[in-house]
Amino acid sequence: MSTTTQSPALMRRKRIATTSLAGCFGCHMSILDLDERILDLAELVEFDRSPIDDFKTIQRRSDVGLIEGGCANAENVAVLREFREHCDVLVSLGDCATMGGIPAMRNLVPLEACLEEAYLKGLSVHNPSGRIPDDGEIPLLLDRVYPCHEVVKIEYHLPGCPPSAEAIWRTLVGLLKGEPADLPYELIKYD
Ligand code: SF4
C-alpha cells in the first residue's frame, strides 16, 4: 500500500480574495454562475476578503486577488492598493477593471459637469438645497475613472462584460495549478 504523504506546502489550500470597485457586481454574479463547480472551488481554495463571505478587510496573504471594476473614487484606490499589497497575483476581472467600462463613460466630460448634471441641472433632478453632496463619509470622486492597471500592477486581464463562468473557471484553475489558462478563442471572442 502506498503511504505517500504530501508536503505541507502542497496541502495548503490556496487563498482567493475578491472585490468589486466601480463595477455592478455582474462579474461576481458570473463567479456564482459556476453553479455546482463553486463547491469544487470551495474544496480547492479558501476565500479571504470577498462579497462571498463578507470579510471587509484582507485577513491573510492571498494567492490570487480578483478585481471587478475600475477606480472611480478614493476608496476604490485604497481597496485596490490593499489587494496589491496582500495578493501575490491580481486579475482584472471584466471590462470595467480592464478598461473602465460603463463607469468610464463619465471620462468624456469634466467631473464638475458630471456633478452639475447629476445633482443640479439634470432634467429629473429635484434638489432645492442646490448643494452637491459633500459629506465626509462619501468617498471623494477621482477626476476620471481609471482601469486598475493604471493604479497598481496587474498580472492578468480577463475581458468580458462579464467574463463567462467558464472563462473564470479556466483562469482560476490555471492560476491555482501554476499553468497557463486554457482559454480557447470561442470563450473570449466578442464578434
Ligand atoms: S464588466 Fe460588466 S458585469 Fe463586470 S462589473 Fe463591469 S458592467 Fe458589471
Side-chain angles (χ1 to χ4, degrees), residues 108-146:
L108 299 173
V109 285
L111 176 58
E112 248 180 34
C114 284
L115 291 171
E116 278 183 6
E117 184 67 16
Y119 295 107
L120 303 176
K121 296 182 178 166
L123 282 180
S124 60
V125 171
H126 175 69
N127 181 4
S129 75
R131 280 185 66 186
I132 292 175
D134 59 357
D135 191 292
E137 290 286 311
I138 302 173
L140 219 53
L141 284 177
L142 304 179
D143 59 335
R144 65 182 184 89
V145 176
Y146 293 82

Side-chain angles (χ1 to χ4, degrees), residues 20-30 68-70 93-98 100-103 158-163:
S20 179
L21 306 178
C24 73
F25 275 92
C27 290
H28 274 78
M29 289 296 133
S30 209
E68 168 190 306
L93 183 66
D95 289 347
C96 292
T98 58
I102 302 276
L158 189 58
C161 182

Side-chain angles (χ1 to χ4, degrees), residues 6 9-10 12-16 40-41 44-45 63-64 89 91 156 166 168-182:
Q6 281 185 307
L10 286 175
R12 185 177 73 81
R13 281 159 89 200
K14 303 268 186 179
R15 286 183 84 78
I16 294 183
D40 297 334
L41 191 60
L44 293 172
V45 305
D63 298 280
V64 179
V89 167
V91 181
Y156 299 100
E166 184 65 28
I168 294 171
W169 173 255
R170 287 170 181 246
T171 300
L172 283 177
V173 168
L175 284 172
L176 296 175
K177 285 181 165 177
E179 295 172 357
D182 175 23

